Amino acid sequence: MLLENMLEYNQKFVEGDESIEKSSLYPKKNAVVLTCMEPQLDSLLRNALNLQDGDVEVIKNAGAFVSDPYDSVMRSLLIAVYERRADEVFVIGHHDCWMKDFDPKATIERMGLQGVSEESIEDFSHNKDLSKWLRGYQEISDMVKTSVNTIVNHPLLPEDTPVHGLIIDPDSGKLDVIVYGF
Amino acid sequence: MLLENMLEYNQKFVEGDESIEKSSLYPKKNAVVLTCMEPQLDSLLRNALNLQDGDVEVIKNAGAFVSDPYDSVMRSLLIAVYERRADEVFVIGHHDCWMKDFDPKATIERMGLQGVSEESIEDFSHNKDLSKWLRGYQEISDMVKTSVNTIVNHPLLPEDTPVHGLIIDPDSGKLDVIVYGF
């Protein structure tokens, strides 16, 4: 159980001599990055893009995907732009993303196997098509473009905010520009 | 402009000898963490909680806040649990969070000053109360509890999934348990 390990480690840390290296409160590079939650991105962005601790605000979800202008990811992006000194927005997807060719039907089946009732699934689906809500994508560039479009066309984003769409390759570290935001 | 710097750095990285240290494709510690996008969290979780690169899936937004069961953050959490081997969920808020006592009215005013029209604000507000959508919180523990409740009570989460609510202090590194999920 990770919680117990974490608390044990934390207690030692707090009692120890190691001091906290305080990051800046605001992003040093005045930017916000929306990227994917996958673990392989953790060191990749630091090493291949030189995004060090404290450089940018980072928003993460499954696939760096935002399609709904009322989603909390969009809320976070707006807060970063208006209140957290981010004047450049980056959407960074990646090759070998788990969301590619993801089949929501298998997940819905798994929900049933793990004890979620037919009724719960139906209740949820009453407000939202579950397969569509969970869906992945076939082309990573399409997902990045969709996210960029939602952000760029958001009625509450200042019009002159550059929003870049990028794809990084976890094997080579190479970054490709899909949407050049300037 | 960060994009140009990033591309320049990346080109040198790709041409250089430095090899990519590949992280595992799945989270090594079988957990998913929802935390805040603020830069001060970047090194804090690594140092004070021993969450190293590749250990967990990390979802980030403004304040580690999820109140809507149809939000993409909730979608990402479900994908982490069903498809990405996360069998423990952590919501980690922090003291000195920028979202504390945040006044949405000032942000809405700033939108106007940065060229967003009255009409755009009204159109958006037709579907969602803008002040309520942007809102922060007064007590960090309330925000963590709200997020944990939304996740725990989500009809599609397996019932036996532990969801912990925690608050970390960026000054001391101390982690406090608000909701013990077992």
Side-chain angles (χ1 to χ4, degrees):
Chain A
M1 294 296 119
L2 180 54
L3 179 64
E4 306 302 339
N5 298 343
M6 206 187 262
L7 289 170
E8 200 180 317
Y9 182 93
N10 185 249
Q11 195 180 344
K12 278 186 210 148
F13 177 87
V14 172
E15 287 167 0
D17 287 335
E18 210 178 328
S19 67
I20 297 274
E21 204 182 305
K22 288 280 276 187
S23 293
S24 56
L25 288 177
Y26 288 89
K28 272 185 276 182
K29 291 188 176 170
N30 289 7
V32 56
V33 170
L34 168 61
T35 191
C36 180
M37 67 181 182
E38 281 190 35
Q40 54 177 329
L41 276 282
D42 290 348
S43 55
L44 190 66
L45 301 194
R46 208 159 50 237
N47 296 334
L49 305 185
N50 194 27
L51 291 178
Q52 304 302 326
D53 290 344
D55 275 353
V56 293
E57 308 254 70
V58 180
I59 299 168
K60 289 186 167 209
N61 72 2
F65 187 54
V66 51
S67 66
D68 183 338
Y70 295 98
D71 195 86
S72 81
V73 167
M74 196 60 233
R75 166 182 173 268
S76 303
L77 284 164
L78 289 171
I79 287 170
V81 167
Y82 283 106
E83 301 293 345
R84 309 276 313 146
R85 301 181 195 163
D87 51 25
E88 212 169 336
V89 179
F90 295 78
V91 176
I92 310 184
H94 64 104
H95 293 299
D96 300 330
C97 183
W98 189 87
M99 295 306 293
K100 183 162 158 44
D101 300 325
F102 160 49
D103 176 15
K105 285 201 192 87
T107 308
I108 298 167
E109 215 171 281
R110 199 163 294 144
M111 288 175 179
L113 293 173
Q114 291 202 35
V116 174
S117 69
E118 229 7 271
E119 205 189 339
S120 294
I121 293 176
E122 269 170 34
D123 279 358
F124 187 88
S125 306
H126 189 69
N127 290 314
K128 200 82 136 185
D129 178 329
L130 185 51
S131 288
K132 210 172 153 191
W133 185 62
L134 287 172
R135 80 183 180 286
Y137 65 96
Q138 286 181 301
E139 289 299 329
I140 174 71
S141 57
D142 290 342
M143 188 151 74
V144 169
K145 279 181 204 159
T146 300
S147 296
V148 169
N149 280 340
T150 301
I151 301 166
V152 163
N153 295 317
H154 199 281
L156 301 181
L157 191 82
E159 262 197 32
D160 55 355
T161 312
V163 182
H164 313 296
L166 308 162
I167 296 176
I168 192 162
D169 180 344
D171 288 320
S172 65
K174 188 168 186 307
L175 184 72
D176 288 316
V177 180
I178 302 301
V179 182
Y180 186 78
F182 293 123
Chain B
M1 295 297 121
L2 180 53
L3 179 64
E4 307 303 338
N5 298 344
M6 204 186 263
L7 289 171
E8 200 181 315
Y9 182 94
N10 185 248
Q11 196 182 342
K12 277 187 211 147
F13 177 88
V14 172
E15 286 167 359
D17 286 335
E18 209 177 329
S19 67
I20 297 272
E21 204 183 304
K22 289 280 277 186
S23 293
S24 55
L25 289 177
Y26 288 89
K28 272 185 275 181
K29 290 187 176 170
N30 289 9
V32 57
V33 170
L34 168 62
T35 191
C36 180
M37 67 182 181
E38 280 189 38
Q40 54 176 330
L41 275 282
D42 289 350
S43 54
L44 190 66
L45 302 194
R46 204 156 56 233
N47 295 334
L49 305 185
N50 193 27
L51 291 179
Q52 305 301 328
D53 289 343
D55 275 354
V56 293
E57 309 254 70
V58 180
I59 299 168
K60 288 185 169 210
N61 73 1
F65 188 53
V66 50
S67 66
D68 183 337
Y70 294 99
D71 195 86
S72 81
V73 167
M74 196 60 232
R75 165 181 172 267
S76 303
L77 284 165
L78 289 171
I79 288 171
V81 167
Y82 283 107
E83 301 293 345
R84 308 276 312 147
R85 301 181 196 165
D87 52 25
E88 213 168 338
V89 179
F90 295 78
V91 176
I92 310 184
H94 64 104
H95 292 300
D96 301 330
C97 184
W98 190 88
M99 296 304 295
K100 182 162 160 42
D101 299 325
F102 159 49
D103 176 15
K105 284 200 191 86
T107 308
I108 296 166
E109 218 172 281
R110 199 161 294 142
M111 287 175 180
L113 293 172
Q114 292 203 35
V116 175
S117 68
E118 233 2 272
E119 204 190 341
S120 294
I121 293 175
E122 268 170 32
D123 280 357
F124 187 87
S125 306
H126 189 70
N127 289 315
K128 201 81 136 187
D129 177 328
L130 185 50
S131 288
K132 210 172 154 191
W133 185 61
L134 287 171
R135 82 183 180 285
Y137 66 96
Q138 287 182 299
E139 289 299 329
I140 174 70
S141 57
D142 289 343
M143 189 153 73
V144 169
K145 278 182 205 159
T146 301
S147 297
V148 169
N149 280 340
T150 302
I151 301 166
V152 163
N153 295 318
H154 200 282
L156 302 181
L157 191 81
E159 262 196 34
D160 54 356
T161 312
V163 182
H164 313 297
L166 309 162
I167 296 176
I168 191 161
D169 180 344
D171 288 320
S172 64
K174 189 169 185 309
L175 185 71
D176 288 316
V177 181
I178 303 300
V179 181
Y180 186 79
F182 293 124

